[in-house]
Amino acid sequence: MMHMKNNETKENTKGMWKRTLKIYGSMRLPFHLYIIEFVLGIVSTKVALLYMPYLSKMQTGNIIGNDTVGKYVLFVMLNVAITFVSAIPTLYADNIVIKRLQNKLLHKIIRMPVKKYEQEGASELISHVTSDTEYVNQLITSVIGFITGIVTAFMTMSEMSKLNSTLSWIIFPVTGYVILSTWLEGKLSFLSQRRLRKSYSGTMSFFAEHTGSLLNIKQLNAQDIELKLGKKAVDIMYKGDLYAAALGIFSTFVSGSITSIIAIIIFTLGAANVRSGAITIEELNTFYNLMLVAYGAVSILPSIYTDFMRANGTMFYVGQMVDGKDEVYKRERGMDCPDSDITFENISFAYDERNILDKVSFTIPMGKITAVVGENGSGKTTLFKLIERFYEPNEGMISFGDTDVSRINIDEWRKSIGYVLQNAQLFDGTIRENIAYGVEREVSDEEIMAAAAQAGAYEFINSMPEGLDFIVGDDGSRLSAGQRQRIAIARSIMVDPSYLLLDEATSNMDIYAKEEVTRALLRLMEGRTTVMITHDMNMVRKADHIIVLKDGSVEAQGSPEEVKKNSVTYNRLMNGGAA
């Protein structure tokens, strides 16, 4: 906890556009709504061009004896109405696409390999689903806006040519200047947004983790350390904000300078044309107004392109998620075979370059209680992750009877296993929902209470006014440690697994709660193949088979008597040695 998470892997920006396009290709986009949005944008431009002559008449005072004001107001109101209507398909399209992408990312997270999940971290994944998905519309809106802007510029240039073809050349140098600035600004925006995204997500991850551990920080008197780390996290975000601010200054310079240049050029050159009679002052003013419309269409191209690149920079990470591989649940065969021993044959495993297990071989006998003991860091938790098939071994084979487990469907394999962990994972719902979680059928309250009785949870559930409807709170925060464990045991009873994994299931409890949970576990273990990691020597004594791990290798295995003869580690633990 005392360092900022660094989940950054070496990123490869090659294939950036391919990843982004793959996101859209994987969803059903509401193209009809985008087409309506584009068409209404062009109609709005046409209406705006129609009221330009009336605007010029009003600006030059030529409003006597005609209906100039009335027609101008009519066209303006029509344009406002079209703009309002065009917002409706945009609103629907935006929300539809965000919803579909969020559902897709939820699917990717649920199907994500555990290794990838542990590399990303929960905070990063939450940020991808809740924040980054907002940018999926910005890319599409930018494309539509870009095309609409170009069409608007051409429509305006056509009207300008009808008024005076001599002056219409002015738009070309203006367009060239804007295109150059557009490319530069867009390039900087993409790079800065990617850095901004990293800095914000890193800072959010830091505060999400460290503020949640505030009590622990105070207990360890580590406030000064946390302040230093926090300042570093804020400083990273500050530097990212500076990039965005610099882009804003650049954009302001571009738009401000071009507006002044347009006015100077048109009225300087136009004055000579007015004196020669080639154009009237009213037509010159109309030409100027049309040029502003053309410039308005062209000038938003930098910001549209900037938004486009900014969104693409953020969607880069969403694209990585969409492009990531799912767990392959369906393999060559199901669990339609009799219960068997689980055998590790020369298993080696490493996290990146850190070797955890080295050519480990042992057997977990069917129908027996197997205890896995060893010092901290000896590889016990990794062993469980391999049994659960969260990871694949680097070398060796795990067998179920005569079958390589990699050939068995992962979903069926995990359904056959029940779990009771050191910190029981409960959801913020009712006791009923938590006990029945994972059962793929309708269950009655009678079944749930029967499971609760076996788990030793019946009495405390009945003592609550709400009973099964009691809300347990976030991660079971409204329950004691012993109550949470008994709810988790009741859940395993409901699932009725053939195999049971217990990971320090009796730790961090008072004596009374520990006794209650132990009795419940013993009832759960009856008739099931059980593997338990524990430092509770009373639980170890109930094992039929013991595996002792030391520094990633098997020091001893066999019956309690055999292990006692052959394992120094086991004897030290049994005699109360530190683990």
Side-chain angles (χ1 to χ4, degrees):
M1 189 199 69
M2 295 304 164
H3 61 278
M4 286 188 64
K5 285 184 178 179
N6 184 6
N7 292 327
E8 303 292 346
T9 56
K10 187 177 180 181
E11 293 173 348
N12 184 1
T13 57
K14 292 181 179 179
M16 175 185 68
W17 292 104
K18 185 178 179 180
R19 280 199 188 99
T20 301
L21 291 174
K22 189 173 181 178
I23 295 172
Y24 295 103
S26 65
M27 297 187 296
R28 290 182 298 106
L29 296 176
F31 287 107
H32 61 291
L33 295 176
Y34 293 129
I35 292 171
I36 293 172
E37 179 184 348
F38 172 72
V39 171
L40 289 175
I42 299 302
V43 172
S44 176
T45 298
K46 183 61 179 178
V47 172
L49 294 178
L50 289 175
Y51 68 67
M52 283 298 153
Y54 301 104
L55 175 61
S56 296
K57 288 179 183 291
M58 293 173 61
Q59 290 173 332
T60 56
N62 185 15
I63 58 174
I64 301 174
N66 55 49
D67 195 20
T68 299
V69 175
K71 291 180 178 178
Y72 174 75
V73 171
L74 177 64
F75 282 122
V76 169
M77 294 303 295
L78 180 60
N79 194 42
V80 170
I82 294 171
T83 303
F84 174 79
V85 172
S86 67
I88 297 175
T90 303
L91 176 67
Y92 276 101
D94 287 354
N95 285 281
I96 288 170
V97 173
I98 289 176
K99 176 185 175 182
R100 289 175 180 171
L101 181 56
Q102 287 176 334
N103 284 330
K104 187 170 189 65
L105 292 185
L106 175 61
H107 172 87
K108 297 296 292 188
I109 291 172
I110 296 298
R111 302 281 181 173
M112 179 180 290
V114 172
K115 181 179 180 180
K116 180 66 175 176
Y117 172 80
E118 291 180 344
Q119 287 175 341
E120 288 285 335
S123 298
E124 284 286 324
L125 296 176
I126 291 170
S127 178
H128 291 326
V129 176
T130 58
S131 301
D132 295 352
T133 49
E134 298 291 332
Y135 286 89
V136 68
N137 290 315
Q138 195 168 349
L139 275 173
I140 300 174
T141 303
S142 296
V143 171
I144 294 174
F146 196 87
I147 297 172
T148 302
I150 292 175
V151 173
T152 297
F154 276 105
M155 290 172 64
T156 308
M157 288 173 61
S158 176
E159 294 295 321
M160 292 166 65
S161 297
K162 293 176 184 178
L163 281 174
N164 191 302
S165 58
T166 305
L167 292 177
S168 61
W169 66 267
I170 296 173
I171 198 169
F172 293 106
V174 172
T175 302
Y177 178 64
V178 171
I179 289 174
L180 178 63
S181 63
T182 296
W183 173 82
L184 179 60
E185 188 177 5
K187 186 72 174 178
L188 291 173
S189 178
F190 171 74
L191 296 175
S192 68
Q193 181 60 24
R194 221 176 55 170
R195 178 165 179 177
L196 201 65
R197 172 67 186 78
K198 289 181 186 177
S199 63
Y200 268 73
S201 63
T203 304
M204 286 174 61
S205 296
F206 173 84
F207 283 106
E209 178 187 7
H210 290 240
T211 54
S213 304
L214 186 60
L215 291 179
N216 196 24
I217 291 168
K218 289 182 178 292
Q219 288 167 350
L220 296 172
N221 195 31
Q223 293 92 326
D224 291 340
I225 296 174
E226 289 299 312
L227 283 173
K228 289 179 181 178
L229 293 174
K231 286 178 180 178
K232 288 181 181 179
V234 172
D235 188 56
I236 292 172
M237 188 169 67
Y238 164 75
K239 290 177 180 178
D241 286 333
L242 283 181
Y243 276 89
L247 280 178
I249 295 173
F250 183 81
S251 180
T252 302
F253 167 77
V254 171
S255 60
S257 63
I258 293 182
T259 303
S260 302
I261 291 171
I262 288 174
I264 292 171
I265 293 177
I266 287 181
F267 287 107
T268 299
L269 298 179
N273 284 268
V274 171
R275 285 194 299 270
S276 67
I279 189 172
T280 67
I281 187 64
E282 186 177 299
E283 289 174 331
L284 179 62
N285 205 66
T286 300
F287 188 91
Y288 173 69
N289 288 333
L290 290 171
M291 175 58 81
L292 290 182
V293 173
Y295 166 66
V298 175
S299 66
I300 63 172
L301 297 184
S303 62
I304 289 175
Y305 181 65
T306 299
D307 289 343
F308 183 82
M309 295 300 288
R310 181 185 296 116
N312 193 34
T314 300
M315 292 297 288
F316 174 81
Y317 298 97
V318 176
Q320 283 185 323
M321 272 191 70
V322 172
D323 207 29
K325 293 181 179 179
D326 293 346
E327 273 192 314
V328 180
Y329 284 84
K330 297 302 179 185
R331 302 297 176 91
E332 298 175 30
R333 59 172 298 173
M335 285 288 290
D336 52 348
C337 51
D339 291 348
S340 302
D341 296 345
I342 298 175
T343 304
F344 277 50
E345 301 176 44
N346 294 315
I347 294 296
S348 294
F349 179 80
Y351 292 109
D352 298 323
E353 301 298 323
R354 187 165 55 94
N355 199 49
I356 305 298
L357 297 176
D358 184 25
K359 298 189 182 303
V360 168
S361 296
F362 58 82
T363 296
I364 298 170
M366 181 192 69
K368 303 292 185 180
I369 299 174
T370 299
V372 180
V373 299
E375 298 176 348
N376 290 333
S378 60
K380 300 186 298 295
T381 301
T382 299
L383 184 149
F384 264 32
K385 289 182 178 180
L386 291 173
I387 293 175
E388 296 167 285
R389 296 173 65 187
F390 290 158
Y391 287 88
E392 296 291 335
N394 300 121
E395 295 179 15
M397 183 174 69
I398 303 172
S399 302
F400 182 68
D402 296 328
T403 304
D404 185 341
V405 295
S406 64
R407 297 175 54 203
I408 300 174
N409 297 336
I410 289 181
D411 52 350
E412 295 181 40
W413 174 261
R414 289 178 185 162
K415 283 178 185 177
S416 71
I417 300 175
Y419 311 92
V420 181
L421 308 179
Q422 178 177 354
N423 297 310
Q425 297 293 312
L426 301 185
F427 299 97
D428 188 9
T430 65
I431 290 177
R432 177 189 293 104
E433 291 167 341
N434 274 281
I435 292 178
Y437 186 80
V439 181
E440 298 178 341
R441 59 180 177 81
E442 290 293 327
V443 294
S444 65
D445 285 357
E446 288 74 19
E447 288 180 272
I448 292 174
M449 289 305 289
Q454 282 185 267
Y458 186 90
E459 289 185 7
F460 84 76
I461 293 175
N462 263 345
S463 68
M464 296 175 176
E466 302 94 334
L468 290 174
D469 293 318
F470 180 79
I471 303 294
V472 302
D474 185 23
D475 204 20
S477 59
R478 299 180 66 194
L479 299 176
S480 69
Q483 289 172 334
R484 289 196 295 270
Q485 286 297 71
R486 280 174 275 175
I487 294 297
I489 293 170
R491 178 193 294 164
S492 288
I493 292 171
M494 288 295 299
V495 175
D496 191 23
S498 299
Y499 294 79
L500 190 62
L501 300 183
L502 309 179
D503 187 356
E504 300 289 3
T506 59
S507 64
N508 301 327
M509 298 180 197
D510 59 53
I511 294 175
Y512 173 76
K514 189 173 184 178
E515 290 176 352
E516 288 288 321
V517 169
T518 299
R519 283 195 291 268
L521 285 173
L522 291 176
R523 287 191 291 267
L524 176 62
M525 291 156 64
E526 289 179 4
R528 292 184 171 90
T529 302
T530 301
V531 187
M532 60 181 177
I533 295 173
T534 182
H535 288 130
D536 184 347
M537 292 302 110
N538 289 325
M539 289 294 291
V540 173
R541 290 186 181 97
K542 302 181 188 303
D544 306 301
H545 188 78
I546 297 174
I547 299 169
V548 183
L549 293 180
K550 181 176 176 61
D551 299 330
S553 299
V554 175
E555 183 181 82
Q557 66 172 311
S559 67
E561 293 77 17
E562 292 172 330
V563 170
K564 187 175 181 180
K565 292 178 183 178
N566 301 317
S567 173
V568 175
T569 301
Y570 175 77
N571 287 302
R572 186 173 68 251
L573 294 173
M574 291 300 290
N575 292 326

